[in-house]
Amino acid sequence: MLSCSGLVSRACLSVVSLILAGCYTGLSGANDESGPPPPPPPASNGPLGVPEVAPLELDALSPDPAPGGVAFDLHLTGAGFTRSSVVVVAGQELPTTFVSGGELHAHSGPRKRGDYPVFVRRDDEDSRPLTLAVDRSAPRILVPAQVEVDEDTEVGLAIDVVDVADPDALRVHLLGLPPGATWDEPTRRFSFTPDFTQGGDTWTVTVLAHDGESRVETTFDVVVRDTIRPPAPEIIDTEFLDGSGYVRYTLSQWTDDYLDSPGYAGRAFTAKIMVPLEVPPEGVPVRVGLHGFATANPGGTGSASEIRISPHDPDNTYWWGYATSLPENPPAAGGAAPDYTVRRILHLVEYVLRNYPEADPTRVHIYGSSMGGAGAMVIGLLRARHFAYVDARLGQAIARNHRPGRITQLSGWWGEPELDLDGGGGLAAWDHMDLTRALVESSEARDQFLFLKHGKDDPTIHFGAAVLPSARTGESFYAALQHQHVGHFAVWDEGGHGIADPVLGDGWWTGSWSPIHGDEATLRRDRAFPAFTASSLDDDPGVGAGNGKQDWSDNAGFAGDVDVPGDTGWEGAVAGAIGRFLRWDGASVVDTVDRLQFALRVHAGDGSNPPAPGYPSEGDLVLAELPAYVDVTPRRTQAFRCRPGERITWAFGKARGEVVAGPDGSVTIPALPLTDTWTTLVLRRSLAVITASH
């Protein structure tokens, strides 16, 4: 476990916070790990407003049946619940605890055998009643009280359910899974490989089973033993910066042979952590900022609204790692190139989360540009369990597609691509960083949300990083995001490597996008969100071909002169976006075993007309007629997980339909008509038979 040393006392911080006024100063550019400041929360757009309170509905009761003759707790799911809601059983109001808009807990005294009407009362409105049976036989869930596992070690648990009335109707759901754990309902197998930052933690997992007649719950604990203990970072300097609103710590991060190759182990890396002086009761997000190539020192610009972590990669390993043989021997066939640099970053994240109680673990996000952009994508997708959001600028998403000079430089760390040094799990390091592969193979990666920015006149990491195919999967990164229905907002223009578009300038694509600090489209690691794909509002990035204006270059692709508008050699729109203008209301999310819902809209706000023909609008100005037709795929669901082949009914305004879950259990509702007013998408389990074999 990590410990905190050298921290400034809370009393000292309190005194200083009375003196210092919070402000933010940020830098921009390809090598600026501090990134842009968080934009202000979006303003209300006239009639758009806030979603109305959801209709009061009661979906299910648990346990059902309830035990007779003893007191019991009742768990209710539905929608439209408020803090004033009360559970009523047989005309009697029960002590009720509000959990969320879709969950209530109530406590009942002992009851005789029989059937009891149950409903929810919200002010002067009652839901439809359900019948609670008391003292009827119910299934029994067979699980141990506790499962223990070491870090970096897989544990598997088969869950059995007996005394089932209808085996064909049996459903088993797991709630409260540890980050990174999976539940395969067809085989009823729980699997979890905790990483080295999860040791010392315990999660209580709820097992919910129903067989068409009865509904029961039980729990088991997952305990991760703290078996991998790298040296804790040490604070070596503390700075209070007048008027900044934050304190800056400089740390030494000493390595062992888990954070470093055996020959390098024992050295120290410098990192910086910036912590706000005034913290709201709900805590603050945590941002990891990754610098670009050849940056001498980690960044030190902080914010009064979030904790910032600035690691350092002075060896320019592209935020991955290097061969275990270094520095004594160069990488060679049969060797390994583990993700040592990734581990050091996660070690800093763990340090902050364990030593700063104001750090919100559900709102950790990662940012980077250039080398930092590639690193943000790699870490944010391959270690997605730790991050709510990825903001990656000017980054290469497919390592084997790097320009020749960069492949030569990285071969000194990872081995030449054809050597296939093991990067972990038997997969070559170069293939770990093929993110089209990651999206195909990892459900954890598919649950991530990414913001991406590339430039068509970037000669350093050219536009092919987004639109040229992977030799392994045959798909470009843009295409893989679309085909795998991954949440993303991607923009491109005729900018260069950290140089703004000569016509549009910088930041033209939105006036309101703020998924960590905003009021809508907010992302948390523990909350479902809708991934938007195939939007009728999307622009055309092209497929990586040339338009005849520039000759191909292995280094610069079809990049033109960044100062000359319209000379890019890449075909497709000169500037545009995918996933632009699309929003959901984070506060509207209901995610239970029985239903999933969230309010959706097109954010049609203020902005400017295109500055010239062939260019997009600026800000939040929507030029196309609405509705926009968009495919919607729920991601990061916590309770509403589906079996492959399961039929799901959906409702969106007056539209109704049914979809079938794919092989990974995901469902996509095609061509939903979104307007500029909030409309709630509701998904529920169908009574139809599951179509897949099981």
Side-chain angles (χ1 to χ4, degrees):
M1 297 295 295
L2 292 170
S3 63
C4 179
S5 64
L7 298 179
V8 175
S9 71
R10 296 290 178 189
C12 178
L13 290 179
S14 298
V15 171
V16 174
S17 65
L18 294 175
I19 301 172
L20 301 181
C23 71
Y24 170 86
T25 54
L27 303 174
S28 62
N31 289 338
D32 176 19
E33 68 286 359
S34 67
S44 172
N45 288 286
L48 303 181
V50 177
E52 296 180 358
V53 176
L56 180 60
E57 299 181 69
L58 179 58
D59 291 337
L61 310 171
S62 183
D64 183 13
V70 297
F72 61 91
D73 292 321
L74 191 61
H75 179 197
L76 299 86
T77 62
F81 301 159
T82 65
R83 295 187 182 279
S84 64
S85 298
V86 177
V87 176
V88 181
V89 177
Q92 177 190 10
E93 293 188 353
L94 301 185
T96 302
T97 300
F98 172 81
V99 179
S100 71
E103 292 185 82
L104 296 174
H105 288 167
H107 182 75
S108 173
R111 295 186 181 275
K112 296 180 179 180
R113 179 185 180 93
D115 293 335
Y116 295 82
V118 180
F119 61 86
V120 175
R121 177 168 293 156
R122 183 181 69 187
D123 300 325
D124 58 353
E125 179 184 2
D126 294 342
S127 72
R128 70 180 181 91
L130 294 180
T131 299
L132 173 67
V134 174
D135 201 27
R136 190 174 67 207
S137 63
R140 290 184 295 120
I141 303 169
L142 306 182
V143 292
Q146 182 171 290
V147 175
E148 295 189 9
V149 60
D150 292 344
E151 293 170 311
D152 278 358
T153 304
E154 183 179 12
V155 64
L157 174 66
I159 295 178
D160 196 11
V161 182
V162 298
D163 297 339
V164 175
D166 182 359
D168 290 336
L170 179 64
R171 299 299 306 275
V172 183
H173 306 279
L174 262 61
L175 313 176
L177 291 173
T182 61
W183 166 242
D184 183 57
E185 190 183 357
T187 62
R188 293 186 200 143
R189 183 172 179 81
F190 162 84
S191 300
F192 182 37
T193 304
D195 70 22
F196 77 102
T197 72
Q198 295 176 296
D201 290 333
T202 298
W203 291 268
T204 298
V205 177
T206 297
V207 186
L208 186 153
H210 55 99
D211 63 355
E213 290 186 8
S214 303
R215 188 175 174 114
V216 294
E217 296 180 12
T218 191
T219 63
F220 66 93
D221 287 341
V222 180
V223 179
V224 181
R225 291 184 286 260
D226 190 17
T227 53
I228 301 174
R229 300 183 179 184
E234 298 178 3
I235 293 176
I236 59 175
D237 188 40
T238 301
E239 301 170 272
F240 293 95
L241 309 174
D242 291 344
S244 69
Y246 61 87
V247 57
R248 180 166 63 207
Y249 301 104
T250 301
L251 285 74
S252 280
Q253 188 178 20
W254 294 92
T255 66
D256 59 3
D257 60 6
Y258 188 81
L259 299 182
D260 224 340
S261 66
Y264 276 132
R267 60 178 171 168
F269 289 83
T270 299
K272 293 183 180 179
I273 297 174
M274 285 63 71
V275 181
L277 293 169
E278 296 184 3
V279 178
E282 67 273 17
V284 292
V286 177
R287 195 193 75 162
V288 180
L290 306 183
H291 62 71
F293 193 85
T295 299
N297 298 292
T301 302
S303 167
S305 61
E306 63 185 7
I307 294 175
R308 291 190 170 183
I309 302 172
S310 291
H312 196 204
D313 185 8
D315 296 324
N316 298 311
T317 71
Y318 249 70
W319 298 105
W320 170 257
Y322 32 89
T324 57
S325 60
L326 293 171
E328 287 85 357
N329 298 297
D339 58 346
Y340 293 124
T341 315
V342 175
R343 295 175 189 177
R344 291 204 311 272
I345 295 166
L346 295 179
H347 192 40
L348 289 171
V349 173
E350 181 192 15
Y351 171 83
V352 166
L353 294 180
R354 294 195 187 279
N355 288 280
Y356 296 87
E358 61 267 44
D360 184 351
T362 70
R363 292 186 289 161
V364 180
H365 55 119
I366 188 165
Y367 166 85
S369 183
S370 189
M371 182 179 86
M377 288 188 287
V378 165
I379 299 167
L381 288 176
L382 301 188
R383 302 301 185 105
R385 69 183 64 179
H386 298 298
F387 299 98
Y389 173 57
V390 174
D391 184 333
R393 320 275 175 115
L394 312 176
Q396 173 59 262
I398 302 168
R400 293 183 188 270
N401 284 2
H402 272 299
R403 68 186 189 276
R406 182 62 63 232
I407 288 178
T408 298
Q409 182 261 328
L410 291 173
S411 293
W413 294 113
W414 309 343
E416 295 178 358
E418 58 270 20
L419 294 179
D420 287 338
L421 267 68
D422 185 6
L427 186 66
W430 288 88
D431 289 330
H432 269 287
M433 288 166 281
D434 182 335
L435 300 182
T436 66
R437 174 212 60 81
L439 295 176
V440 170
E441 298 177 5
S442 170
S443 60
E444 190 172 329
R446 290 192 294 273
D447 272 350
Q448 187 55 272
F449 192 103
L450 304 95
F451 172 80
L452 305 169
K453 167 67 170 68
H454 287 88
K456 283 198 166 183
D457 280 349
D458 185 342
T460 304
I461 298 180
H462 62 64
F463 192 55
V467 295
L468 288 181
S470 155
R472 183 184 179 96
T473 67
E475 286 196 313
S476 71
F477 193 49
Y478 276 0
L481 290 166
Q482 289 281 312
H483 293 164
Q484 298 299 326
H485 302 285
V486 177
H488 63 292
F489 176 12
V491 301
W492 67 91
D493 55 27
E494 215 177 359
H497 201 65
I499 303 174
D501 183 282
V503 175
L504 293 165
D506 194 19
W508 56 265
W509 48 84
T510 183
S512 64
W513 178 251
S514 184
I516 295 296
H517 294 275
D519 290 334
E520 62 182 60
T522 49
L523 290 161
R524 295 169 55 98
R525 185 176 49 76
D526 60 350
R527 184 166 66 193
F529 69 87
F532 300 114
T533 51
S535 169
S536 61
L537 300 177
D538 288 346
D539 299 302
D540 177 20
V543 294
N547 61 15
K549 294 183 179 180
Q550 303 289 341
D551 292 331
W552 171 259
S553 163
D554 287 341
N555 287 315
F558 293 112
D561 188 333
V562 71
D563 296 324
V564 179
D567 75 333
T568 186
W570 296 96
E571 53 91 33
V574 65
I578 300 170
R580 189 181 179 193
F581 306 119
L582 305 176
R583 301 288 191 271
W584 68 94
D585 179 60
S588 73
V589 175
V590 172
D591 181 2
T592 70
V593 163
D594 309 290
R595 75 160 70 204
L596 178 69
Q597 65 184 53
F598 20 59
L600 311 176
R601 73 170 180 179
V602 173
H603 181 81
D606 297 331
S608 304
N609 286 316
Y615 284 84
S617 65
E618 299 181 49
D620 292 320
L621 178 64
V622 178
L623 297 177
E625 292 187 5
L626 299 179
Y629 293 92
V630 184
D631 292 355
V632 176
T633 304
R635 288 296 182 191
R636 209 176 277 165
T637 54
Q638 305 297 301
F640 194 85
R641 298 186 180 94
C642 305
R643 288 179 63 166
E646 181 176 358
R647 294 183 179 276
I648 300 296
T649 60
W650 60 267
F652 186 70
K654 295 181 179 180
R656 300 287 187 275
E658 185 178 75
V659 291
V660 177
D664 66 346
S666 65
V667 295
T668 297
I669 300 88
L672 277 183
L674 272 62
T675 68
D676 59 356
T677 59
W678 290 109
T679 304
T680 299
L681 173 64
V682 181
L683 284 72
R684 303 190 67 171
R685 301 187 189 279
S686 172
L687 296 178
V689 177
I690 293 174
T691 60
S693 61
H694 58 278

